Amino acid sequence: MSTAGPLEAWWQEVSAVAWELRGRRVSVLAAQDRLADLLGRVPLPALAARLDLDRVAAPAILPDRGVLEADLDLTAVAGLPPRAGFGAQVVAGRAGRAVPPHGHGNSCTGFVVLRGRWHGRLFDRVETHPDHYVLRPTADRAFGPGDVSTASDARDNVHWFRATTDGAALLNVHVTGDDP
């Protein structure tokens, strides 16, 4: 996966946000907002073509249960340092299949819908107990191409996405270790 032009600059901006967060030069909320902005302005057709989305998330290879999670090789992205500071993956599924509800710790993550439609439910984690969380719903809505969602310990920490169309796909970008 080599990039050029606007995509190259976009990946480099994502890397810059990741390193600023990991280096504690920005707050988690500031990084989350910047990640949302970046995901919201990625050139989707160019990204889908560069990712070879029709091959990587072809409907014929989508699992009957769960979703496909394909990690991206960021070392092949032109202009990124050897350690990009973040990870990325394509997540795709058949209608009715879901990324199960889960929360993240010590991370900032974001999604942009590449293709199809998803239904997303987001929650703030207001209490943590040894065997459960207490959650407050923050969103329950449809997501289509170009729509963005982010999560961190500070906001919308728990999320749950269900594909509502066959072949729905999204890009997940994640920064871990933001609180060493």
Side-chain angles (χ1 to χ4, degrees):
M1 176 182 60
S2 170
T3 62
L7 275 178
E8 177 181 77
W10 184 82
W11 284 114
Q12 290 170 0
E13 285 186 74
V14 173
S15 180
V17 169
W19 284 113
E20 287 172 3
L21 178 58
R22 295 179 81 171
R24 296 179 170 234
R25 292 185 298 277
V26 296
S27 71
V28 171
L29 280 174
Q32 189 174 352
D33 290 342
R34 287 184 57 201
L35 186 58
D37 175 64
L38 283 167
L39 289 167
R41 58 185 172 87
V42 65
L44 284 181
L47 179 62
R50 188 72 64 196
L51 295 174
D52 197 6
L53 191 59
D54 289 336
R55 181 188 58 78
V56 171
I61 66 168
L62 296 179
D64 290 330
R65 301 183 71 162
V67 294
L68 170 85
E69 296 179 359
D71 290 334
L72 302 182
D73 178 7
L74 296 174
T75 62
V77 176
L80 280 184
R83 291 183 52 225
F86 67 96
Q89 64 184 178
V90 171
V91 178
R94 300 178 186 278
R97 298 298 167 206
V99 176
H102 65 284
H104 294 263
N106 195 24
S107 68
C108 182
T109 187
F111 299 90
V112 61
V113 177
L114 300 170
R115 168 175 81 198
R117 299 197 60 79
W118 296 81
H119 187 92
R121 292 181 174 95
L122 311 174
F123 305 86
D124 279 339
R125 185 176 59 207
V126 294
E127 292 180 26
T128 301
H129 298 276
D131 60 347
H132 69 280
Y133 295 143
V134 175
L135 305 174
R136 178 180 55 246
T138 59
D140 186 348
R141 68 178 191 86
F143 287 79
D147 287 340
V148 170
S149 173
T150 60
S152 75
D153 284 334
R155 183 177 61 221
D156 293 335
N157 178 262
V158 174
H159 50 220
W160 175 12
F161 285 92
R162 185 178 56 83
T164 58
T165 58
D166 276 336
L170 51 82
L171 172 71
N172 166 245
V173 173
H174 48 275
V175 180
T176 58
D178 61 294
D179 185 15

